[in-house]
């Protein structure tokens, strides 16, 4: 199971800038307006060979009358509860504020590694000013400048060292199919219908589910673990932000899955929350099957299925080679088709192509459709092999790998899909120096 690190602190201390630097892409919005990080942002990074997920939370504000900021506070508390380690970021420019002290009071009660990080320290004078943060009572601190990355190496060394090792159990050797999706989409009902018993509590209240539970399942002569981001939600957690909680559980389930069955509500559409979970699975290079539940509630004609599929595929471009199954858990329509499809996707993800077959297939295609010349230089691809990874990754060896651009890599990926069937599985194409 992957580790999770949460970045917390009051507004405007530079959390989003730090997050963006860690995941090496600009996903979080960086702005000097309080509360701009309205949506939680999730990314995966690695340091010294150790992968972990990063959560950029909203700014923590205690005692605010603003409803939105109160929701952020709840989400920050939940992130702290779920994370394996917490980075508490403060700002050397403003010094210690009342809000910093409020967060520190919260974190002193946490029985997890907490790293006090003083941001915007980019000269000796600011290094001296940072000493005042000892008074927060959280021990030693780390000074960084997230805008240019200064000091982040030492911080990440300490974070990675403090992350707990995740134990592997015997059951985890079986393939894992994770049932994920936004609250109240029908995840638990789907599993209940499959196993023929009410193992999971199902109500019409979003967020009844709490903890992920594994069920061994055998269908079509194939045994696997069926994982629901499910369980019983404690009464003390009734005030949780359920949308955020759904994604938190999905992060953990997706990281440890082989195939993700993304259950969505047909009456709500492929909205932002569903898309967020889809791209989490794609970025983690997992197999994906989209299950459109409650299809019985949709008014249909001869074109409804095609039109609905077209809308979904538009949202998931360029990764459109994903199976979409229209189901009704209530009426048990196509629920076994969903599992059969997931098994096929798992087999696609585990597929190994012989090097001789790859080269016999691709070298003629490449000769007929070579990479475009760049600055008068011609790229010659001479050899192809599949890398020994759990998911499909292919190395194309050539003389000038730096001149092969994304459109041609996509062409190669599409050819791989056309010839070897990797439906439902992200495929990675790498250019290597021969």
């Amino acid at each position: 199971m992957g580790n999770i690190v949460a970045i917390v602190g009051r507004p405007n201390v530079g959390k989003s800038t730090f997050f963006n630097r860690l995941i090496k892409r600009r996903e979080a919005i960086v702005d000097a307006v309080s509360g701009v990080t309205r949506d939680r942002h999730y990314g995966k990074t690695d340091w010294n060979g150790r992968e972990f997920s990063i959560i950029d939370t909203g700014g923590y504000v205690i005692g605010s009358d603003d409803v939105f900021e109160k929701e952020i506070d709840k989400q920050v508390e939940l992130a702290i509860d779920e994370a394996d380690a917490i980075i508490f970021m403060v700002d050397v420019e403003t010094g210690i504020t009342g809000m910093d002290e409020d967060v520190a009071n919260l974190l002193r009660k946490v029985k997890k590694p907490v790293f006090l990080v003083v941001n915007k320290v980019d000269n000796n004078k600011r290094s001296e000013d940072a000493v005042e943060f000892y008074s927060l009572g959280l021990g030693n601190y780390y000074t960084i400048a997230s805008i240019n990355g200064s000091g982040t190496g030492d911080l990440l060394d300490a974070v990675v060292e403090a992350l707990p090792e995740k134990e592997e159990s015997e059951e985890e050797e079986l393939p894992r199919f994770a049932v994920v999706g936004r609250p109240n989409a029908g995840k638990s009902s789907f599993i209940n219908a499959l196993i023929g018993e009410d193992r999971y509590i199902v109500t019409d209240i979003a967020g009844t589910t709490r903890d992920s539970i594994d069920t061994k399942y055998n269908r079509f002569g194939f045994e696997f673990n069926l994982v629901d981001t499910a369980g019983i939600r404690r009464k003390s957690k009734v005030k949780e932000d359920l949308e955020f909680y759904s994604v938190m559980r999905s992060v953990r389930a997706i990281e440890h899955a082989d195939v993700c069955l993304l259950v969505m509500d047909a009456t709500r559409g492929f909205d932002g929350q569903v898309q967020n979970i889809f791209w989490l699975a794609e970025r983690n290079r997992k197999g994906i099957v989209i299950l459109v539940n409650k299809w019985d509630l949709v008014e249909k004609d001869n074109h409804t299925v095609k039109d609905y599929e077209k809308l979904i595929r538009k949202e998931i471009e360029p990764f459109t080679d994903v199976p979409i199954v229209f189901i009704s858990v209530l009426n048990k329509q196509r629920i076994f088709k969903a599992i059969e499809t997931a098994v096929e996707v798992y087999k696609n993800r585990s597929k190994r192509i012989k090097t001789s077959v790859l080269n016999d297939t691709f070298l003629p295609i490449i000769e007929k459709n070579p990479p475009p010349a760049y600055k008068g230089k011609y790229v010659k691809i001479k050899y192809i092999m599949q890398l020994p990874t759990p998911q499909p990754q292919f190395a194309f060896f050539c003389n000038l790998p730096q001149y092969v651009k994304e459109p041609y890599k996509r062409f190669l990926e599409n050819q791989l899909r056309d010839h070897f069937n990797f439906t439902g599985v992200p495929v990675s194409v790498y250019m290597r120096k021969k």
Side-chain angles (χ1 to χ4, degrees):
M1 190 75 75
N3 293 113
I4 294 179
V5 176
I7 309 170
V8 303
R10 60 181 173 79
N12 304 329
V13 296
K15 299 187 301 298
S16 295
T17 303
F18 180 63
F19 171 86
N20 289 332
R21 177 164 293 279
L22 287 184
I23 63 170
K24 303 177 181 67
R25 57 190 166 84
R26 290 185 60 84
E27 180 174 292
I29 300 169
V30 181
D31 200 299
V33 179
S34 175
V36 76
T37 308
R38 299 197 172 195
D39 300 316
R40 307 293 63 76
H41 295 278
Y42 312 85
K44 195 157 192 170
T45 189
D46 64 86
W47 188 257
N48 292 341
R50 184 78 178 272
E51 281 195 342
F52 54 96
S53 291
I54 290 283
I55 302 168
D56 170 30
T57 66
Y60 193 89
V61 184
I62 291 179
S64 171
D65 293 329
D66 187 286
V67 173
F68 174 67
E69 288 186 336
K70 288 179 180 177
E71 286 303 307
I72 287 180
D73 293 353
K74 289 188 288 186
Q75 294 180 10
V76 170
E77 290 174 3
L78 182 57
I80 291 170
D81 185 47
E82 283 294 304
D84 298 295
I86 298 110
I87 291 174
F88 171 31
M89 190 168 289
V90 292
D91 182 348
V92 73
E93 288 184 350
T94 58
I96 295 175
T97 69
M99 285 185 279
D100 291 329
E101 292 174 343
D102 290 335
V103 179
N105 289 337
L106 183 71
L107 293 177
R108 279 196 294 270
K109 304 171 188 175
V110 173
K111 304 297 184 184
K112 295 177 181 178
V114 175
F115 298 88
L116 175 60
V117 177
V118 186
N119 192 21
K120 307 180 186 177
V121 179
D122 52 10
N123 58 48
N124 290 334
K125 173 66 169 62
R126 290 186 171 183
S127 293
E128 295 171 3
D129 292 343
V131 173
E132 72 166 303
F133 289 96
Y134 272 121
S135 66
L136 289 175
L138 292 170
N140 292 329
Y141 59 82
Y142 293 82
T143 58
I144 70 166
S146 59
I147 196 73
N148 61 25
S150 172
T152 56
D154 291 341
L155 168 63
L156 292 176
D157 284 343
V159 170
V160 166
E161 187 176 347
L163 289 176
E165 293 288 343
K166 298 295 183 178
E167 294 181 4
E168 299 288 332
S169 69
E170 292 181 6
E171 291 184 1
E172 289 172 348
E173 294 176 3
L174 286 175
R176 291 172 66 87
F177 293 2
V179 183
V180 296
R182 65 176 300 154
N184 211 26
K187 301 185 296 294
S188 296
S189 298
F190 173 68
I191 291 184
N192 287 344
L194 286 175
I195 64 178
E197 61 181 84
D198 290 335
R199 164 133 184 212
Y200 304 97
I201 292 176
V202 180
T203 73
D204 59 358
I205 302 171
T208 302
T209 53
R210 169 77 188 170
D211 301 308
S212 61
I213 303 174
D214 289 13
T215 300
K216 270 191 180 179
Y217 192 77
N218 193 310
R219 193 78 185 180
F220 311 110
F222 188 84
E223 188 174 21
F224 54 91
N225 277 327
L226 198 57
V227 184
D228 186 13
T229 47
I232 303 171
R233 189 162 129 259
R234 297 193 300 268
K235 289 182 180 179
S236 64
K237 297 290 184 180
V238 168
K239 66 178 182 179
E240 290 168 355
D241 183 299
L242 300 168
E243 296 293 322
F244 178 55
Y245 193 84
S246 169
V247 179
M248 285 291 299
R249 281 296 170 194
S250 295
V251 169
R252 288 190 179 276
I254 287 169
E255 285 184 343
H256 205 47
D258 297 295
V259 177
C260 298
L261 293 100
L262 174 54
V263 181
M264 58 169 286
D265 184 336
T267 63
R268 300 189 68 161
F270 198 73
D271 61 18
Q273 181 80 6
V274 181
Q275 290 174 38
N276 193 4
I277 296 171
F278 175 87
W279 291 115
L280 276 171
E282 189 274 340
R283 286 198 296 269
N284 280 277
R285 318 312 280 170
K286 307 299 183 181
I288 303 173
V289 180
I290 297 173
L291 305 183
V292 185
N293 189 25
K294 306 183 184 179
W295 193 239
D296 53 307
L297 302 180
V298 175
E299 291 187 16
K300 295 176 277 289
D301 58 30
N302 293 337
H303 306 287
T304 308
V305 170
K306 286 186 178 180
D307 290 344
Y308 208 104
E309 271 197 31
K310 187 176 179 181
L311 287 171
I312 292 175
R313 295 195 192 283
K314 179 68 176 172
E315 295 293 345
I316 63 176
E317 289 179 343
F319 180 33
T320 57
D321 187 17
V322 177
I324 301 172
V325 183
F326 294 84
I327 67 172
S328 169
V329 171
L330 186 63
N331 298 330
K332 296 191 176 181
Q333 290 179 338
R334 289 180 287 278
I335 59 172
F336 296 112
K337 173 67 174 175
I339 290 298
E340 184 179 13
T341 304
V343 171
E344 291 172 1
V345 168
Y346 174 79
K347 291 177 178 177
N348 290 345
R349 188 172 186 264
S350 309
K351 188 178 296 180
R352 303 293 306 173
I353 311 298
K354 288 183 179 179
T355 301
S356 59
V357 173
L358 272 174
N359 284 273
D360 289 346
T361 302
F362 266 84
L363 290 179
I365 293 172
I366 292 167
E367 186 176 355
K368 188 176 179 181
N369 302 278
Y374 185 77
K375 294 182 178 179
K377 297 184 178 180
Y378 293 88
V379 178
K380 294 181 180 179
I381 298 174
K382 300 179 179 180
Y383 184 73
I384 307 105
M385 68 173 290
Q386 184 173 359
L387 300 176
T389 53
Q391 65 277 357
Q393 296 185 337
F394 297 87
F396 288 73
F397 293 90
C398 61
N399 59 333
L400 298 166
Q402 68 273 25
Y403 292 152
V404 180
K405 305 304 178 184
E406 284 304 317
Y408 193 77
K409 289 182 184 178
R410 189 147 307 138
F411 164 75
L412 295 176
E413 178 187 334
N414 290 337
Q415 292 298 315
L416 283 164
R417 293 185 182 281
D418 289 345
H419 286 84
F420 301 113
N421 184 19
F422 288 108
T423 295
V425 185
V427 173
S428 301
V429 170
Y430 301 102
M431 309 309 296
R432 293 286 184 262
K433 181 76 173 176
K434 175 65 176 174

